[in-house]
Structure formats: structure tokens, C-alpha cells
């Protein structure tokens, strides 16, 4: 089976790399199309050697402000340069609703190839929210898709509550599937299997990821300060790139241990030295670091109504919070410690929910269903 994977965010994103490689192991022949801006970083194309990865320079910087013009240029290049591949495609998988999904929609119209479309953070928090004049296109792409993929129930609820009209809800819900992202197999292979003991009145908290406004590390720091006021010993380990001097100043607290970059082997030791993972992001469609933390047996604190929310029942593997409420974050951390043994036992019993091997089986099944249904038309 041959699948056209349209993924403009492929380069620099391990999620795509892991997903596509796992599909290849299951005899899915991926043609990976990554449309690029003219004069982009040529180093990206090193990844294209000896693989079915095509990254042509299709559009200019100015084109990004003219959605239809940009998409037409991409489609023209795809049809002209890679037509021989298009003739053998069984399914199209568009990895964003707008930028990739519209290309899949147009190919479906001209070549009648079935497609599935994923809805991600940029679709919800940029295109749907701010580029309201393109919403009709997004809805049309969803209506014509054979399957619609959300990474979480929280993202699905947000889109259907805010942007889908009641008259369209049933049609779209009937072909909507929630499939989370997976984690690198390193984390699966190094899952912790023995419960850890925590020390009374000692709070070892960790955050992993970029340090920016959206990840809301500032609120976690303020929650830590509230715990310190209550005579708690707090150590907050922060791992991730920080480009802003404003945020660098926030990290200069005695209770914070900051690491700009580290290997996976070093990172796993930081997870295991910590007790609770806290990331009250303002916006998130999934948040793979929550899943990484769970493989190391530690509870997670996440934002209510955002990506990781509703992956599990509240309190099962951690707690959801109001990301703007410092006391809510503080109380969630306290709750995690008060219920630590029970939460940790549930985490250790989790099956491989975030294993790409399991997740790719779900996608392979979807692909096969679409090919079979399309063959009957």
C-alpha cells in the first residue's frame, strides 16, 4: 500500500520521523511530501537522500499571506514533478487541516484519491481562531475527508464547540477518530517498572520543553514559590531551550536547576530524580512530553481543556488545572503527592498507549478501510 504523507512540518520533528519509520516496518510505502519556502535551509534536504522524501521549494515568503495562491503553487509542483508517484497513491494522509489538508482536498477532487486529515495546534489556534476568512475552507476539507484525526478529545471538543455548526456536527463526528501521538521507542524500551518512594515534605518537580510564554513555566515557578512559603522543600528541574532574556531571568532562582540541552540518557535520569511533571500550557494539541514523563512513572499536571486533558480521567495519572490560576497549580501538585502511590501504580500498569508500534497499527487499519471502501465505488 502506498500513502502520500503531506507533512510540511516534517523537518526537525521526531514525531513524523518515528511515525513514518514505524509504518514502513509494517509494509506501508510512504511518499513524504514536504513543500518548502524558496531559499529555505538546504540542510533539511540531507534527510531526503535514499528515501521517498520530496521537499521542493514551491512558494515565496509573500505567498504565505495569500493562502489559495500558495496552495495552488504547491499543487502545481506536486502534479508536475511527482505525477508518476500520484498515479500509484492509494491514500493521502494530510498532517494539518489547512496547509496540508487543502492540497489533499484538491487532489481528491481531481484524482479521486481518499484522504484523511489531522487537526493540530496551528489549525485550531491560528487558522480557525484568527484567519476566520479561511474557516469555510477548513470545514469543506473536513466534510470531504474520509476520516478526521484529532490528537485528543480536548482538541476535538474545542473545534466542534467553537467552529462547527450544529447542522454539520453529525456528518463530521461520524468520521472523527481520536488517536494520540506516540513517544520515541527509547522511552518505551526504558519504561520504569518499579515504583519509587517519595520523601515527605520534599517536592521534586520537573518541566521539559521550550521555555516560552505558551508553556507557562512562569506560573509553575510561582506555584513553587507558594509551596516554599508553606515550608516545603522544592527543587524545580527545568530542561529546554530558552531564547528570551526575560525568561532566563525567571530561571535564576535558588530552587531551580536549569539545563539548556541534554541527551536522552541524561534526560531520563532527570525524570527519574523527579516526582511530578508540571506543564500548564496555555495552548496544546497533545504534548508528547506528558507521555514521556508517564513512561518514567511520574504523575503529570496539565491544562484543563487543552491537548492532554481527557486522555485519562482527571486524577488517574495526574491532574488538570486552570493554567492561569497559581493556587490551582499548587493544589494539583499537592494532590499528586497526597495520592502518589495510587497514581503511580496506575501509571505503571498502563499498556503501551503511546507506543508508535500500536498507534501505527491503528493508522494501517484506517488506510486499509479507505482503500477497500474506495474500491467499491
Amino acid at each position: 500500500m502506498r500513502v502520500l504523507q503531506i507533512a510540511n512540518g516534517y523537518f526537525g520533528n521526531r514525531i513524523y520521523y518515528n511515525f513514518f519509520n514505524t509504518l514502513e516496518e509494517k509494509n506501508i510505502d510512504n511518499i513524504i511530501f514536504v513543500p518548502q519556502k524558496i531559499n529555505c535551509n538546504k540542510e533539511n534536504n540531507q534527510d531526503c537522500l535514499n528515501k521517498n522524501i520530496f521537499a521542493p521549494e514551491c512558494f515565496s515568503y509573500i505567498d504565505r499571506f495569500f493562502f489559495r495562491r500558495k496552495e495552488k503553487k504547491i499543487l502545481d509542483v506536486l502534479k508536475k514533478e511527482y505525477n508518476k508517484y500520484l498515479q500509484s497513491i492509494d491514500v493521502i494522509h494530510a498532517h494539518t487541516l489547512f496547509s496540508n489538508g487543502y492540497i489533499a482536498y484538491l487532489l481528491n477532487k481531481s484524482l479521486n484519491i481518499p484522504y484523511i486529515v489531522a487537526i493540530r495546534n496551528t489549525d485550531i489556534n491560528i487558522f480557525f481562531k484568527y484567519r476566520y476568512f479561511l474557516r469555510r475552507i477548513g470545514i469543506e476539507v473536513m466534510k470531504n475527508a474520509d476520516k478526521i484525526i484529532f490528537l485528543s478529545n480536548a482538541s476535538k471538543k474545542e473545534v466542534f464547540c467553537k467552529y462547527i455548526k450544529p447542522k454539520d456536527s453529525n456528518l463530521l463526528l461520524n468520521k472523527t477518530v481520536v488517536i494520540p501521538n506516540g513517544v520515541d521507542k527509547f522511552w518505551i524500551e526504558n519504561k520504569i517498572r518499579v515504583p519509587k518512594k517519595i520523601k515527605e515534605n520534599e517536592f521534586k518537580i520537573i518541566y521539559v520543553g521550550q521555555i516560552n510564554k505558551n508553556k507557562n513555566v512562569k506560573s509553575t515557578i510561582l506555584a513553587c514559590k507558594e509551596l516554599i512559603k508553606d515550608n516545603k522543600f522544592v527543587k524545580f528541574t527545568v530542561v529546554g531551550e530558552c531564547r528570551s532574556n526575560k525568561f532566563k531571568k525567571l530561571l535564576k532562582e535558588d530552587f531551580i536547576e536549569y539545563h539548556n540541552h541534554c541527551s536522552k540518557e541524561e534526560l531520563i535520569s532527570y525524570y527519574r530524580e523527579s516526582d511530578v511533571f508540571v506543564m500548564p500550557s496555555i495552548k496544546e494539541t497533545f504534548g508528547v512530553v506528558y507521555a514521556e514523563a508517564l513512561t518514567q512513572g511520574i504523575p503529570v499536571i496539565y491544562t484543563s481543556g487543552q491537548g492532554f486533558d481527557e486522555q485519562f480521567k482527571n486524577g488517574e495519572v495526574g491532574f488538570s488545572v486552570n493554567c492561569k490560576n497559581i493556587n490551582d497549580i499548587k493544589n494539583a501538585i499537592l494532590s499528586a503527592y497526597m495520592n502518589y502511590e495510587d497514581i503511580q501504580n496506575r501509571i505503571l500498569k498502563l499498556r503501551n498507549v503511546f507506543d508508535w508500534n500500536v498507534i501505527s497499527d491503528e493508522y494501517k487499519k484506517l488506510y486499509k478501510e479507505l482503500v477497500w471502501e474506495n474500491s467499491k465505488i
Side-chain angles (χ1 to χ4, degrees):
M1 183 187 302
R2 177 167 279 188
V3 180
L4 175 63
Q5 307 281 359
I6 309 177
N8 60 348
Y10 174 82
F11 294 117
N13 192 328
R14 291 288 299 181
I15 286 174
Y16 292 119
Y17 178 85
N18 290 327
F19 178 38
F20 298 154
N21 277 5
T22 310
L23 286 175
E24 292 281 353
E25 291 170 5
K26 297 180 183 297
N27 298 315
I28 300 295
D29 183 15
N30 294 308
I31 301 297
I32 303 168
F33 181 63
V34 193
Q36 299 285 290
K37 179 167 65 71
I38 294 169
N39 296 324
C40 66
N41 185 356
K42 297 288 185 181
E43 291 180 6
N44 285 342
N45 292 344
Q46 293 301 310
D47 200 22
C48 300
L49 299 176
N50 302 318
K51 294 181 182 179
N52 286 339
I53 301 174
F54 305 106
E57 295 180 358
C58 304
F59 57 92
S60 68
Y61 175 80
I62 296 298
D63 289 328
R64 297 174 69 183
F65 299 98
F66 301 94
F67 181 81
R68 291 178 187 271
R69 186 171 85 181
K70 174 193 165 190
E71 298 296 292
K72 184 180 184 304
K73 285 187 175 183
I74 293 171
L75 184 64
D76 287 345
V77 170
L78 180 55
K79 283 186 170 182
K80 181 180 178 181
E81 303 293 333
Y82 309 106
N83 185 60
K84 66 177 181 179
Y85 293 101
L86 291 178
Q87 301 310 311
S88 61
I89 294 297
D90 297 301
V91 177
I92 302 168
H93 187 161
H95 289 269
T96 64
L97 175 62
F98 288 90
S99 297
N100 301 159
Y102 191 56
I103 298 296
Y105 165 81
L106 294 174
L107 284 173
N108 171 264
K109 290 295 183 186
S110 61
L111 300 175
N112 200 33
I113 305 172
Y115 71 93
I116 70 174
V117 63
I119 298 181
R120 299 182 182 274
N121 185 46
T122 52
D123 295 314
I124 300 170
N125 295 308
I126 295 178
F127 281 94
F128 266 130
K129 187 173 183 179
Y130 296 113
R131 302 186 75 176
Y132 55 87
F133 50 91
L134 294 177
R135 286 179 191 169
R136 184 183 297 177
I137 288 177
I139 305 285
E140 192 66 17
V141 172
M142 292 172 74
K143 284 181 177 179
N144 284 272
D146 293 85
K147 290 290 180 183
I148 302 163
I149 311 296
F150 284 92
L151 302 181
S152 69
N153 276 306
S155 298
K156 172 184 162 184
K157 281 185 177 179
E158 184 172 6
V159 169
F160 274 87
C161 289
K162 290 183 178 179
Y163 305 113
I164 305 301
K165 294 178 180 178
K167 66 183 179 70
D168 296 325
S169 286
N170 287 339
L171 169 67
L172 299 182
L173 281 171
N174 286 337
K175 52 185 174 181
T176 292
V177 184
V178 176
I179 305 177
N181 278 333
V183 296
D184 191 289
K185 65 180 179 180
F186 171 84
W187 300 102
I188 301 296
E189 292 170 352
N190 290 280
K191 281 180 66 174
I192 198 166
R193 303 182 189 281
V194 180
K196 66 181 291 184
K197 298 292 183 182
I198 57 173
K199 294 182 179 179
E200 188 177 350
N201 222 39
E202 188 173 288
F203 291 70
K204 294 180 180 178
I205 299 163
I206 187 169
Y207 164 78
V208 178
Q210 288 191 338
I211 293 93
N212 56 38
K213 184 178 180 180
N214 183 58
K215 298 301 181 180
N216 204 20
V217 177
K218 180 179 179 180
S219 291
T220 306
I221 293 172
L222 293 175
C224 288
K225 288 184 175 182
E226 290 300 311
L227 290 168
I228 292 170
K229 286 180 184 177
D230 292 342
N231 297 316
K232 310 291 185 186
F233 172 82
V234 174
K235 178 185 176 183
F236 184 27
T237 301
V238 178
V239 183
E241 185 180 18
C242 183
R243 296 181 179 179
S244 164
N245 289 329
K246 175 184 174 182
F247 288 110
K248 285 178 181 177
K249 289 179 182 178
L250 291 174
L251 300 173
K252 293 184 177 182
E253 296 280 355
D254 292 339
F255 63 89
I256 297 177
E257 180 182 297
Y258 173 58
H259 304 274
N260 180 58
H261 178 74
C262 65
S263 66
K264 285 186 288 189
E265 290 74 18
E266 290 172 311
L267 181 55
I268 209 169
S269 69
Y270 294 140
Y271 274 127
R272 291 180 179 180
E273 290 167 5
S274 304
D275 302 325
V276 177
F277 178 87
V278 183
M279 188 172 79
S281 300
I282 297 169
K283 297 290 182 183
E284 198 82 60
T285 47
F286 179 68
V288 72
V289 282
Y290 298 116
E292 288 178 1
L294 290 176
T295 68
Q296 301 312 301
I298 62 176
V300 293
I301 308 298
Y302 47 91
T303 301
S304 177
Q306 290 301 311
F308 201 76
D309 193 19
E310 297 189 40
Q311 292 286 344
F312 302 90
K313 291 180 180 178
N314 194 33
E316 185 176 355
V317 300
F319 295 93
S320 66
V321 297
N322 178 342
C323 65
K324 298 179 181 179
N325 189 317
I326 306 306
N327 276 329
D328 205 21
I329 299 170
K330 170 192 169 184
N331 290 333
I333 295 170
L334 288 170
S335 294
Y337 277 88
M338 289 171 61
N339 299 279
Y340 203 87
E341 186 176 347
D342 289 341
I343 294 173
Q344 188 176 215
N345 285 336
R346 287 193 289 269
I347 292 171
L348 295 179
K349 290 177 182 176
L350 286 177
R351 296 187 180 274
N352 292 334
V353 181
F354 305 113
D355 185 344
W356 277 119
N357 193 48
V358 174
I359 293 167
S360 60
D361 279 336
E362 292 187 55
Y363 278 105
K364 184 176 180 179
K365 182 180 177 182
L366 280 182
Y367 296 158
K368 282 186 172 181
E369 287 176 359
L370 296 194
V371 171
W372 182 74
E373 288 172 3
N374 201 55
S375 68
K376 297 189 299 181
I377 298 175

